[in-house]
Amino acid sequence: MSKNKNQKIKQVNNVNTTTIEPQISWIQKIQEWWKRFSSQVINRLLLKFIGLMTLFYLVWANQYVQETLVKEIANMYAKVSGEILNLMGAGVAVTGDIIASSYFSIGIKNGCDGIEGLAIYWCALAIYPATLKYKITGFLWGTLFLVVLNIIRIISLYEIGVHVPSIFDVMHESIWQILFILLTLVGLFVWVDWLHRNKSAHSLLKS
Amino acid sequence: MNVNMKWILLKSIGVFFSIYLVLLLMFQTETVKKPSVQFYMSSIEKVYGNFGSGGEVKVKTLKAEDSKHFDAIVILTSKFQKNKAIQKARKQGMNTTKIKPVKYRISTWNSFYLLLTFLIALFLATPTTWKHKCKGLLLGSLLLYTFFLFKTGWSLLLKFSAYHGRFDVGFDNRTILESINYLYNIIINSYFGLMIVVLLWFFLMFPVVKINTKNIQYLTPKTPLKKINNKISDPPTV
């Protein structure tokens, strides 16, 4: 009798242990994943970066911004590139965002103005943990680098259009676009590397 | 930047451009281009062949002599449009009728394959193990393909909505149409696509970068940056 009773208790215990097992709901699973995901610094930085880029694109796509700021930047690029091309003896005339000569004409439209490349660089600079001094230095050098790079792109594309028009489309759509975004990333890595070298040198000098 | 780091960066850029240029040249050949364009068109037709409430989407190839920049044409019609045309023809006692579809040309390279090529080159040039490269490439390509489908779906929604009177598909409301157009102007931009690839690369590949240089630690911080900074012990440059 007592043996039977013990067996029953055992069985009941077994039943209890199987029913008490914690069941993780999908909400908890998501919460855990999010906890693990956001515990990594790199992920937190990237989420901030996405937030800033979303903000940039929302402002950038605004018609008023396009018609004023973006258009003015394109005109400025055309003017500067035109001046340099004329110094090189190209004999071009600049009207608004169009650089034209009797051989070839080129227009600085969306994507050719380098604004998005600059935005990627600036947003990355803004979210990366560094003092204002380092950020301002990175901002100035990086902006100068990307602006000069874009002027080189416009001038080279004009020259390609004049001398090798058959490869203009490939150079415009497939090479320079990629090169520009890649060099933006390289510029960022150089800044991060410089930042940490200076930081470590500074902390060693202090100690 | 130390010599080791410079070498790694230059090597990665070299590998990137080698892969990118090879893929770019490959895409110019008919052997690769033809099935790629076919895959692009069948993807759109499979996913969006029946769009919304009665919209119909077909994609056809464009001959090279027809257009220099584009290689496919999207044709939009709808059941509503067809029924309306048939009813009108019946009323007029005609046996045949014509419908006016909306057509727009696309470049498969610019809208998808450029991004895919960029993604492949970027992922393969990342200094990490082949296992991580393949894993990242597979997941990255899938996510990029999802983005491409979303982008295409959004363009179709805008086109159907813009011709709502003709198709009776999409949205008729002006404010909604303007909002769709606002987002369309962002996502259709080629730089936006490239930025998506860069973000995928950051998320999928950055945590698995493997370089035998102490100084690279700060590029993939897993612990708070302050702690890592204390670990860096380069000699001062002064």
Side-chain angles (χ1 to χ4, degrees), chain A residues 52-106:
Chain A
L52 275 182
M53 282 309 291
T54 309
L55 197 68
F56 158 75
Y57 270 112
L58 286 175
V59 174
W60 172 86
N62 182 282
Q63 205 179 344
Y64 178 74
V65 175
Q66 283 286 326
E67 282 168 5
T68 52
L69 189 70
V70 176
K71 201 178 171 188
E72 278 308 310
I73 291 171
N75 291 353
M76 184 272 293
Y77 272 120
K79 204 176 169 186
V80 175
S81 306
E83 292 285 337
I84 298 169
L85 278 166
N86 280 336
L87 282 175
M88 290 159 68
V92 296
V94 178
T95 321
D97 61 6
I98 292 170
I99 304 168
S101 73
S102 50
Y103 304 106
F104 193 71
S105 68
I106 192 171

Side-chain angles (χ1 to χ4, degrees), chain A residues 110-163:
Chain A
N110 260 344
C112 299
D113 49 26
I115 294 175
E116 285 143 297
L118 275 171
I120 291 174
Y121 182 79
W122 289 343
C123 290
L125 222 68
I127 54 114
Y128 203 85
T131 58
L132 198 63
K133 183 190 142 196
Y134 289 117
K135 284 191 183 193
I136 290 171
T137 316
F139 173 83
L140 293 174
W141 281 110
T143 306
L144 185 70
F145 168 66
L146 290 176
V147 167
V148 170
L149 187 71
N150 204 32
I151 291 169
I152 293 171
R153 165 162 77 165
I154 294 164
I155 292 169
S156 72
L157 283 174
Y158 174 82
E159 290 296 339
I160 287 166
V162 171
H163 300 290

Side-chain angles (χ1 to χ4, degrees), chain A residues 58 60 116 129 174 177 193 204, chain B residues 20 182 189-190 218 225 234:
Chain A
L58 286 175
W60 172 86
E116 285 143 297
S174 308
Q177 260 195 134
D193 186 78
L204 274 171
Chain B
Y20 182 76
Y182 202 93
N189 198 291
S190 56
Y218 53 75
L225 283 158
D234 270 2

Side-chain angles (χ1 to χ4, degrees), chain B:
Chain B
M1 198 177 277
N2 71 12
V3 182
N4 208 359
M5 182 67 183
K6 250 185 208 169
W7 166 242
I8 291 164
L9 200 60
L10 283 173
K11 192 185 155 196
S12 295
I13 294 171
V15 172
F16 171 86
F17 270 105
S18 308
I19 298 169
Y20 182 76
L21 290 175
V22 167
L23 291 173
L24 177 64
L25 288 173
M26 271 170 69
F27 194 81
Q28 308 301 316
T29 62
E30 278 301 305
T31 334
V32 176
K33 198 178 177 179
K34 215 177 168 184
S36 307
V37 175
Q38 207 60 47
F39 173 73
Y40 181 101
M41 294 192 308
S42 64
S43 295
I44 296 178
E45 283 189 347
K46 260 181 204 163
V47 181
Y48 298 115
N50 295 311
F51 192 89
S53 53
E56 289 174 358
V57 180
K58 279 199 173 106
V59 193
K60 285 182 179 169
T61 44
L62 263 180
K63 284 174 190 165
E65 56 265 29
D66 288 344
S67 176
K68 196 180 154 194
H69 298 281
F70 307 99
D71 49 8
I73 187 162
V74 182
I75 303 160
L76 312 182
T77 54
S78 80
K79 279 174 189 157
F80 170 81
Q81 186 192 22
K82 283 177 184 171
N83 289 338
K84 206 176 161 186
I86 290 166
Q87 276 173 9
K88 197 180 170 188
R90 275 180 189 157
K91 266 184 192 173
Q92 290 171 344
M94 292 192 296
N95 289 330
T96 54
T97 184
K98 276 184 181 176
I99 55 161
K100 203 178 169 189
V102 168
K103 296 177 184 178
Y104 66 96
R105 293 178 297 173
I106 43 169
S107 160
T108 55
W109 170 255
N110 281 341
S111 57
F112 180 58
Y113 290 110
L114 168 76
L115 305 179
L116 186 67
T117 309
F118 179 50
L119 181 130
I120 294 170
L122 203 59
F123 277 50
L124 290 183
T126 309
T128 186
T129 58
W130 275 101
K131 189 189 156 195
H132 283 131
K133 279 182 193 183
C134 295
K135 218 172 138 184
L137 202 58
L138 196 75
L139 196 58
S141 307
L142 262 169
L143 291 169
L144 185 69
Y145 184 65
T146 312
F147 166 70
F148 152 71
L149 287 178
F150 169 74
K151 191 170 79 166
T152 309
W154 201 262
S155 328
L156 291 170
L157 180 66
L158 178 69
K159 293 276 193 280
F160 272 118
S161 302
Y163 292 92
H164 188 271
R166 196 188 294 184
F167 296 127
D168 197 31
V169 179
F171 296 98
D172 198 14
N173 185 293
R174 195 176 168 80
T175 316
I176 297 175
L177 192 61
E178 278 173 4
S179 309
I180 295 170
N181 191 41
Y182 202 93
L183 187 62
Y184 171 80
N185 286 333
I186 296 172
I187 59 170
I188 208 70
N189 198 291
S190 56
Y191 262 98
F192 185 80
L194 293 174
M195 201 199 60
I196 292 289
V197 175
V198 170
L199 281 176
L200 288 175
W201 179 65
F202 272 139
F203 272 115
L204 299 172
M205 297 307 275
F206 241 51
V208 294
V209 168
K210 281 192 167 54
I211 300 172
N212 293 328
T213 310
K214 279 182 189 174
N215 305 325
I216 202 69
Q217 276 186 80
Y218 53 75
L219 286 176
T220 57
K222 280 179 181 155
T223 49
L225 283 158
K226 275 179 191 170
K227 282 183 189 172
I228 290 171
N229 291 341
N230 294 337
K231 283 181 196 169
I232 296 171
S233 55
D234 270 2
T237 49
V238 283

Side-chain angles (χ1 to χ4, degrees), chain A residues 104 106 157-158 160-161 164-173:
Chain A
F104 193 71
I106 192 171
L157 283 174
Y158 174 82
I160 287 166
V164 209
S166 57
I167 61 160
F168 177 81
D169 285 334
V170 176
M171 289 304 290
H172 177 228
E173 289 161 1

